[in-house]
Amino acid sequence: MTALLSARGVRKSFGGVEVLHGVGLDANPRSILALLGENGAGKSTLVRIIAGDYSPDAGEIIIGGEPFTRLSVTSARAGGVRMIHQEFPDAPTLSVAENVSLGQLPARFGVVKWKAVRERAAAVLEEMGIELDLSASVGSLGVGERQVIEIAKALSGQTRVLILDEPSAALSQHEVEQLFGLLRRLRDRGAAIIYITHRLDEVKAISDRVLVLRDGSVAAEGPTEDFDRRALVAAMLGHEASDVSRPPAPTWQPGPRPALEVHSASSSGFEDVSFSVNPGEIVVLYGKLGSGGTVVAEALFGLRKLTSGSISINGAGGVPRSPFGSIRRGVGFVPADRKREAIFPVRPVAENIAASSWPRMARFRLFISRRAEASAYRRWRQELSIRSRNDPLQAIATLSGGNQQKVVLARWLERGSPVLVMIEPTRGVDVGARADIYNSMRALAAAGVGVLISTSDQEEVVQVADRAIVMARGRIVVELEGDAITTSRLLTEAVE
């Protein structure tokens, strides 16, 4: 079988450090290739070279039999190569229809044909089985809906090779199934698909072949049927890993009051929600995209106004009015979109960790102590196994996604917040970093912090939750504990 796209002997260095060591890849027609590896293994660098974002230092890319020593985005697209990035390069102020045709607006004599813009968007979304308001501004949509638009944008052109970087990370189970159905249809029409994922259960569900990268080299390759979960994890990590199981029973003793109590809270997106989180407990809000868990978490941090009800932190009741007020009350927050909402990309790692603790670190409440920042960085770099240079001034944007997430978590660990609220905490995080984050959550809970997580990943719920609260249509459906928390039970209860 002749590949639609091949990479041969690709090498790439950044700052004198080689991150790809002569990697090869074949994207075959009528085939879906799962590209796996830990954060920092070289996956994103490889596909960005294929998509024309980066130039390789050595090697070649072959498209339709024509070799290239380097590609531009334009030449890659001309060859039918399109990539959907994990971070969304959308235009928030433009409409859904305009974003679908972004960069390829149909026009005649320089005049945009707006009817054709809407028709193209409607046709692509209909094929995907997705209903969206074509006139809605993209900035008003949630993470999952924006991801859907990026997929539609890529599919609106003549795509022969489609690269998807963690496309399901922000999608509900129903939307994932719709996506898989669409990808299978594209495959059956002759397209080659490269699918990057950290969700190993997706590998069997969607891929025909597997390629695993480890430390910039190919660690394993072959038909998907030749790999089970244990073999994939071993190839990614370089050693055997134990099976994931339910967390140990909590050892905390309830104090005189919960760390967090939500009393009959309502807002846009949820209604009459009540629950509590005890010190040392991990409680998870689970549901499909739009079920209400995310907006509840945002309300706890003051990002959404309550229309009724109240929220108590360590017994002190009130209504959150702003993120600043919530931080002062002792609430830490890890959002789903760390790139846009959590990190300061061009600033050093040490500053990102210290940001919420600056008042404590400042000399005379005026001057930030760089020494204190560096001390915090080195402490949490070791504690959370943050893979970075031993340099407090390293820009956080140079870290992989999983390590950026660890830095955000370290920010609230450094502050000592008694309540930590997290939305999709391991979105786009590899299996190794995910285990580190879960261990950090357990250590945080063991220290008496109340942890609340909102996630649409049922496997994550099984792995970390002491209690699971299932939501649908903005309301609590059921509360599960212990061995009652299973993927099948979660999926059944979350059906709307």
Side-chain angles (χ1 to χ4, degrees), residues 63-343:
I63 302 178
E66 183 179 358
F68 296 84
T69 55
R70 60 157 299 181
L71 290 166
S72 65
V73 173
T74 301
S75 59
R77 290 187 175 183
V81 179
R82 293 296 299 267
M83 179 172 175
I84 300 171
H85 294 273
Q86 190 174 341
E87 287 77 41
F88 314 132
D90 53 24
T93 60
L94 298 184
S95 70
V96 169
E98 290 167 325
N99 268 271
V100 169
S101 290
L102 202 61
Q104 50 184 357
L105 289 169
R108 182 178 176 82
F109 303 118
V111 179
V112 175
K113 301 164 68 175
W114 294 111
K115 182 179 179 181
V117 169
R118 291 183 61 86
E119 288 175 347
R120 174 190 288 175
V124 174
L125 291 172
E126 182 180 1
E127 183 181 16
M128 294 173 66
I130 301 293
E131 292 185 9
L132 287 176
D133 181 357
L134 297 181
S135 61
S137 66
V138 168
S140 68
L141 303 178
V143 174
E145 292 167 319
R146 287 168 53 204
Q147 176 71 82
V148 167
I149 293 168
E150 287 304 302
I151 296 170
K153 187 192 303 182
L155 297 180
S156 64
Q158 297 298 316
T159 301
R160 301 175 66 209
V161 179
L162 180 63
I163 305 169
L164 302 102
D165 189 359
E166 296 284 348
S168 67
L171 303 183
S172 69
Q173 185 64 32
H174 176 64
E175 288 168 327
V176 169
E177 291 169 358
Q178 287 182 319
L179 170 64
F180 285 0
L182 175 60
L183 294 182
R184 292 184 186 106
R185 291 196 296 274
L186 288 172
R187 176 195 61 190
D188 294 343
R189 293 174 189 170
I193 298 171
I194 302 173
Y195 189 98
I196 300 176
T197 184
H198 288 121
R199 296 181 173 180
L200 298 186
D201 57 320
E202 293 184 346
V203 176
K204 290 286 186 183
I206 191 60
S207 71
D208 302 298
R209 293 185 60 81
V210 171
L211 178 69
V212 181
L213 295 184
R214 185 174 70 247
D215 296 329
S217 299
V218 175
E221 184 179 10
T224 301
E225 61 190 22
D226 291 349
F227 296 88
D228 59 15
R229 184 188 183 93
R230 186 180 295 274
L232 291 174
V233 172
M236 292 167 65
L237 299 179
H239 57 79
E240 292 289 335
S242 58
D243 290 330
V244 173
S245 60
R246 288 280 302 140
T251 58
W252 54 265
Q253 295 297 322
R257 56 177 178 260
L260 167 69
E261 266 190 301
V262 180
H263 310 272
S264 302
S266 298
S267 182
S268 175
F270 64 92
E271 184 177 358
D272 195 27
V273 169
S274 297
F275 63 88
S276 64
V277 181
N278 292 292
E281 185 180 30
I282 299 178
V283 175
V284 178
L285 299 175
Y286 169 76
K288 297 178 180 180
L289 190 68
S291 63
T294 296
V295 289
V296 169
E298 291 174 344
L300 295 175
F301 194 59
L303 292 171
R304 291 177 179 266
K305 293 184 178 180
L306 294 183
T307 55
S308 63
S310 63
I311 296 169
S312 298
I313 307 296
N314 281 339
V319 177
R321 302 192 182 280
S322 69
F324 177 72
S326 296
I327 292 171
R328 294 189 65 180
R329 294 181 73 195
V331 180
F333 183 68
V334 180
D337 191 345
R338 61 178 171 271
K339 293 284 188 182
R340 292 174 180 248
E341 302 171 358
I343 67 171

